[in-house]
Structure formats: C-alpha cells, structure tokens
Amino acid sequence: MLFSSKKKNPENIASMVLTHVRDYGENNPRGELFDRQFNGKDFHRNILRSKNAVGQGVQQMMYPNGLSPDGFSTYMPTIMINDGQVDPTKVQDTIAENQVQLYWRNNVERMLKYNIIATRSEVNESLTQICNEAIYKDDKGDICSLQVNEYSEIAEVTKMSLQTIFKRDVLRKICNFKYTAWQYMKKMLTEGRIFLEVVYDEESHEIVGLNLLPGENMIVIVQDNLIIGYRQMLTGTYAHTSKNYIDYSPNQILFLSLDLYGPGGVNDPRSILEPAVKAHNQLNTIEDSVVMYRVLWGSEKMVLKVDVAGQPKPQAEATMKEQAKMFSRQIDYNSATGEITNWGKAIGLSEHFIIPVQGGSSGSSIERLPGGDQLGNIDDLKFFKRNLVNALMVPPGRITALAGDGVNYSNGKIGEVTQAEVAFARLVDRYQTPFEQGLVRLFIMVLNTRQEFSDDIKVEENFDIKFKRSNGFQSYIDADVWTTRLAVFSSMMEFAIKDEAPNNPLSQEYCLRYGLGISDADLTQNRKWREHEQKVLLGEETDVDSGGEGGGGLGGEMAPAPATGAF
C-alpha cells in the first residue's frame, strides 16, 4: 500500500459548531432541546459531506469580487478564524453578524417589492392558478401521501403504522395541512422561501405545531456549505436581553426554498416574481399613460377666444385670469390607486384653451377641437400584460385578464392540450419539491420523538411524498396513454403464444412488458395478485388472504385466467 487510508478527517468550523449543544440565549431557551433531540443519521451524514467537500457550495456562493454592493467583505466569516482555536459557542454569532449587515436590509426591500407585485390582478391570478394545481384535494380530502421506498427493508406492518403517523400526526395535528398548504405555497412562490418554526413540547415529548415566520427578517447562517443556524431579526429588542434578534437551532426551523438565489447565495433569495419585475413596471407605466391620455384627450376640447381689443395690457391680463379662474380646475391622478380627484366641474383649464384675440369683426368666439386619436387601441397594453403573464410561465389561456386576446381557456382535455399546459404541469411538480422535502424532514423529526422505531427507519432516504394531481389535466393524459397502450397490447397479443397458436413469435410476458409498458416491480406485483385471484376462484383462498398489498376479489364472478402464459 503506497498511501495510508486511516487518516482522520479534520474537523471544520461547521462540524465543531453543530456537534456542540449551543446556548441560544434567553430569547430562545428551547433551542438546545432541538440540538439534543433531533441530531439523527441524516444530520451526521451532512456533517461528513461538509468535512469532505472541497469547493464552495451554491448556498455559500458570494459576489465575484468578494465584496457586496454595500462594500462589506463576504469572506469575513472565515477570515482570521483559526479552525483549531474556534469557540463553537461564539463563531455562529460572528458569522451571523456579518451576514446580517449584508442581507437583512436588502431582503426587507425585496420582499416588499415582491408582495406589491403579487397584488396585481394578473399576477395574483397566475399565483392562484399555480397554487390550485399544486395543492389539490382528492375525493377523500387528501393533498399528499407518504411513499415508502421499495428498496427500504421495512416490514409491511411497520409501513402501515408509518402511514398512519404521517397522515394523523404530521398532516392533521402538526401542519393542519388541509387548511395551511395553500397559504404556504403562495407565500413561497411570492417570496421564494418560507421559514416554519417547529414547536416542540418538552413535557409531552412531542411536536405540537408549526409557526410561520416572516421570511424578510430571517438570515440563514451558512458555514462550510452547511446551515449551522438561523437568525430572526426583530423590529424591537427584548428588554431583558437588549438583543434585536433570536437565534434558532438548525433543527428548529423547516426551511423551504425554491433555490433561486442571487450572487450572494442563500441569503440573497429570489422568487418566481423576479422575471416579472420589469414587465410589472412597464405595464404600470403604460397603464398610467393610457389613463392620463384618455382623461385629457378623451373628449373634444374647446378653444375660448376672448376679445381684449382696446384694453391696456394690465387690464387684458386681468380679464384672461378672470376667465381662466371661471373655467379652471386641477385634475390629480394617483398612479398608486388609480384615483382621480377634483373631478367636479364640467370644463376646466386642463382640458380647454383660452386665447386672447384683438377685436375686429370676429370678437369673442368658441371653437371645438376633436378628441384624441387611437383611444380604442390597447394593443400595446395587451402586449405588456402578456409579457407579465409569460414571465410567470403560466399559460395565457388560464388568465381571465387576457380573455378576448385570441387565447381560449384549455381545461386539459385531449384535443385541447397545448405544449404550454404540458410545461405548466411540470413546473407545478417543480414547485412541489420543497414541500416534499420539508414534509419528509418533519416526519423524521416526529419519528425521533418515538421509541418504537429503530434508527435505521428514521432516515429521509426511506421516504418520499407524492402530491395529488389535479384531474383537470393529468387524468385526461393518463387515460389517453392507457387507451393507446391497451390498443397496442391487443394488437401484440394476436401474435402471442396461445394453446391454439403455439408457434406464434411473441410471449405473453413480452406483450405485457412492452405493449403495456409495465415495470418489473409492477409485473411482479401483478403476478402475486393474479395467483391469489386464481386461488380464490378455485376455492383455495378467501378474498382477505391477499398475497400482495392490494389483493382480494373485486366482487361478482370473475372469468378464469388463461391457462397458458406467465403474466
């Protein structure tokens, strides 16, 4: 052996901080409970990943020149810190204080901007469409379900118990998911991330709920590519501690993020509204221009020619001011609310013209000017509205504000499905991913409060979350796919081996695999069900003696399966 493989991995700052039970101060007396209770296998795996990683991860990504726009050094958390002499109880404060200076003020301004954009009708409807697709209740009122990995060595009885805990404790008792999921989804889409405080009761030794925290005040403390804590900035201070922040254990917060970051990494978040910022500002400008143009030029104008012949200049000026005062008004337009004030008089100086003339045969007169041209043309307005909706990647046909714009609503029925609808369905799946990860992590934390399960079960990789799909689109697609598969399967079965045609070239199992597209796992399960149903027909088993997860008769009489072929 040329090289020794027994060299111990050196400790880094993140591992030293995370492996110590930290005192989070009087502002958060429960933080250390989470350090003691919820450091499981996944926690230690993350530490190993951090200790062996070489490069700087995307969460800790910083500005290219090492300086933020404010001029603060983004590398300060790791500069002038000796890994061998670091104090785990103080290093988190050092890192957090630097990152607070960098990002807190910017995040507050950015979240305010996003929430203003989200109030616009087209944006709000787009977000509603996404949330309605992502958070869908089936006939039983379920939004999602727990899937146990088929490769995990977990007994069937245990699986049933785990399913019950997830549905009863996690979804109903802790999350109240039926009523909060839609709100959580919209907030994450608007702000790009959400922070949920896990509420733990030490006396009963169980998680009792979640507390939604304001994302604009949260700082993610990152070191060595690991989240080592969270800091919530407060608008005031606690009187007994004189601190304007609360530190949280990394196990105390469920951090759900779309992983859309700016150049500053995880503390420089972006939401799906970021591409819509420019389109939103442009549309507001165009709308204000259209409103003001129509207010001023929507009706015909009058030219009031006032005869001032023979009057000295001071008297002529006084006459014009008197006439102007008689017909004058000032129109105020509020671009934020769209409100027009001082709208009382029938005519006013802002709309009409008063011109002095020198006597002669004409004298005083009134002439009319036609209103503005192109008052009914709003093609430019439609263009910018479409840009705003396109920035959110929602099919324009789903937005009622674009009705009559040559785009009809599509409910996803076969024959009406567009490429935009297909892309939209995949986009919704992408937005569900943070919730899947968060629910799995919360489920593992619930299992950590129970003693009846082994540590080998309490691992995130054993579980997945599957959200229910809206039947307005996916059901039509699935039905069409299965109709096509069944047609292909029927055609292939004509060439399959049978009692009356033993020399046919195809096997029945080949037809099942490639005609219906059944996977190996589904094919194995189908064999179990088929064998059970044959035994039920022969009287060797009853309906309750299922050989698989489903099993059992379907009611009524069933025709015997073919004697030839292995399905």
Side-chain angles (χ1 to χ4, degrees):
M1 179 180 292
L2 297 178
F3 301 100
S4 173
S5 59
K6 296 183 179 180
K7 184 178 180 180
K8 183 179 180 181
N9 291 329
E11 294 287 333
N12 57 17
I13 295 176
S15 63
M16 284 186 282
V17 172
L18 291 175
T19 53
H20 284 74
V21 177
R22 183 173 182 267
D23 181 8
Y24 292 90
E26 296 182 14
N27 289 357
N28 182 17
R30 298 184 177 277
E32 58 184 272
L33 295 177
F34 286 84
D35 288 346
R36 291 193 181 96
Q37 180 66 37
F38 300 106
N39 289 345
K41 279 192 171 183
D42 295 307
F43 168 82
H44 294 289
R45 184 183 295 111
N46 290 334
I47 289 181
L48 287 176
R49 186 183 299 116
S50 171
K51 291 167 62 175
N52 288 279
V54 177
Q56 187 182 50
V58 67
Q59 284 190 324
Q60 207 169 346
M61 179 176 60
M62 301 296 181
Y63 291 89
N65 60 357
L67 296 177
S68 76
D70 295 329
F72 290 96
S73 171
T74 59
Y75 300 124
M76 189 174 292
T78 56
I79 288 178
M80 302 175 64
I81 294 180
N82 188 333
D83 290 4
Q85 299 177 357
V86 67
D87 183 354
T89 63
K90 295 181 180 180
V91 67
Q92 185 173 1
D93 286 334
T94 304
I95 300 170
E97 287 170 5
N98 183 66
Q99 293 179 338
V100 165
Q101 295 297 326
L102 284 171
Y103 302 113
W104 181 31
R105 183 177 66 254
N106 293 338
N107 287 347
V108 171
E109 295 175 355
R110 185 179 296 112
M111 295 306 131
L112 177 61
K113 175 180 66 177
Y114 286 157
N115 281 280
I116 291 175
I117 294 175
T119 61
R120 184 174 180 90
S121 59
E122 296 87 357
V123 177
N124 182 58
E125 188 173 5
S126 298
L127 294 175
T128 299
Q129 288 287 342
I130 297 174
C131 292
N132 288 344
E133 290 292 326
I135 307 300
Y136 173 76
K137 298 178 184 178
D138 62 12
D139 296 337
K140 297 180 180 179
D142 294 333
I143 297 175
C144 60
S145 59
L146 179 71
Q147 305 290 321
V148 181
N149 194 311
E150 60 181 328
Y151 301 108
S152 62
E153 298 179 356
I154 301 177
E156 292 296 327
V157 176
T158 305
K159 289 181 182 179
M160 295 177 62
S161 178
L162 293 172
Q163 294 280 1
T164 301
I165 293 173
F166 177 77
K167 189 172 183 178
R168 181 193 62 202
D169 294 352
V170 176
L171 293 184
R172 295 183 180 272
K173 292 184 179 180
I174 299 175
C175 296
N176 197 14
F177 207 57
K178 185 184 296 185
Y179 303 102
T180 59
W182 201 95
Q183 173 196 0
Y184 290 164
M185 176 62 73
K186 186 173 183 181
K187 186 172 181 64
M188 186 185 69
L189 295 176
T190 302
E191 300 182 0
R193 58 182 189 171
I194 59 175
F195 296 83
L196 297 169
E197 178 192 356
V198 180
V199 182
Y200 175 69
D201 181 52
E202 186 178 10
E203 183 177 351
S204 61
H205 190 52
E206 64 179 8
I207 297 173
V208 295
L210 298 175
N211 179 29
L212 180 62
L213 303 178
E216 64 271 17
N217 292 342
M218 298 298 296
I219 298 296
V220 183
I221 307 173
V222 181
Q223 179 65 38
D224 298 320
N225 301 324
L226 271 185
I227 295 177
I228 63 173
Y230 300 89
R231 173 166 290 186
Q232 180 183 18
M233 305 305 300
L234 306 175
T235 53
T237 60
Y238 279 118
H240 60 284
T241 62
S242 299
K243 291 184 178 180
N244 67 332
Y245 61 85
I246 302 174
D247 279 338
Y248 293 92
S249 164
N251 296 319
Q252 201 170 358
I253 298 294
L254 285 181
F255 175 43
L256 311 183
S257 172
L258 292 173
D259 292 336
L260 302 176
Y261 307 140
V266 71
N267 281 308
D268 192 18
R270 300 293 188 269
S271 85
I272 67 170
L273 299 184
E274 184 66 27
V277 171
K278 181 178 180 180
H280 173 265
N281 294 335
Q282 289 174 330
L283 182 56
N284 283 344
T285 302
I286 292 296
E287 284 185 338
D288 292 340
S289 301
V290 169
V291 170
M292 289 186 287
Y293 179 77
R294 292 192 175 189
V295 167
L296 293 177
W297 294 97
S299 59
E300 63 180 13
K301 310 294 180 184
M302 287 189 290
V303 180
L304 307 177
K305 296 183 178 180
V306 181
D307 186 3
V308 293
Q311 296 182 5
K313 183 176 180 181
Q315 186 178 356
E317 290 178 351
T319 301
M320 294 302 300
K321 290 180 179 179
E322 182 180 351
Q323 295 294 323
K325 184 178 181 181
M326 183 184 303
F327 295 108
S328 68
R329 68 170 175 176
Q330 182 168 354
I331 298 176
D332 296 326
Y333 173 67
N334 188 334
S335 61
T337 63
E339 181 183 9
I340 296 177
T341 56
N342 302 329
W343 191 250
K345 296 183 179 180
I347 52 179
L349 183 63
S350 62
E351 297 183 47
H352 306 279
F353 305 93
I354 301 177
I355 303 175
V357 295
Q358 291 292 333
S361 59
S362 62
S364 299
S365 64
I366 298 177
E367 298 179 2
R368 295 179 180 274
L369 293 177
D373 297 331
Q374 304 294 326
L375 291 176
N377 187 355
I378 58 172
D379 289 341
D380 53 350
L381 197 61
K382 291 181 179 179
F383 171 78
F384 286 105
K385 279 191 175 185
R386 184 178 289 275
N387 275 358
L388 181 61
V389 174
N390 288 342
L392 300 176
M393 294 185 286
V394 176
R398 289 176 172 263
I399 307 303
T400 56
L402 300 180
D405 193 20
V407 179
N408 297 320
Y409 177 79
S410 173
N411 65 356
K413 189 174 182 179
I414 297 303
E416 298 178 5
V417 177
T418 63
Q419 181 62 34
E421 286 288 346
V422 175
F424 182 63
R426 294 172 180 169
L427 183 70
V428 170
D429 289 341
R430 161 71 179 85
Y431 292 153
Q432 291 172 338
T433 301
F435 281 83
E436 295 170 357
Q437 297 171 341
L439 287 173
V440 169
R441 185 181 168 208
L442 179 60
F443 179 60
I444 297 300
M445 294 180 70
V446 171
L447 295 184
N448 282 330
T449 64
R450 294 172 172 267
Q451 305 299 324
E452 65 265 32
F453 301 105
S454 67
D455 291 340
D456 292 334
I457 294 178
K458 303 173 184 178
V459 181
E460 293 183 13
E461 63 188 24
N462 287 335
F463 307 99
D464 294 304
I465 303 297
K466 184 177 181 181
F467 275 81
K468 307 297 181 181
R469 294 180 178 273
S470 170
N471 57 10
F473 175 75
Q474 193 62 38
S475 295
Y476 289 129
I477 291 293
D478 292 342
D480 185 62
V481 169
W482 275 104
T483 299
T484 303
R485 286 179 177 178
L486 287 171
V488 173
F489 174 71
S490 299
S491 299
M492 294 178 68
M493 284 297 292
E494 296 179 3
F495 301 94
I497 297 176
K498 306 181 184 67
D499 290 338
E500 64 274 14
N503 295 324
N504 278 356
L506 299 180
S507 71
Q508 294 186 16
E509 184 166 341
Y510 182 90
C511 297
L512 280 172
R513 285 179 181 271
Y514 298 101
L516 293 180
I518 296 180
S519 65
D520 290 343
D522 290 339
L523 192 60
T524 301
Q525 186 63 57
N526 181 65
R527 287 197 190 100
K528 293 180 181 179
W529 287 337
R530 185 175 182 273
E531 291 173 359
H532 167 71
E533 290 167 3
Q534 285 180 326
K535 292 179 180 179
V536 170
L537 292 174
L538 296 174
E540 298 177 4
E541 290 184 1
T542 62
D543 283 350
V544 296
D545 297 329
S546 175
E549 294 180 359
L554 299 177
E557 296 192 6
M558 300 175 60
T564 305
F567 274 30

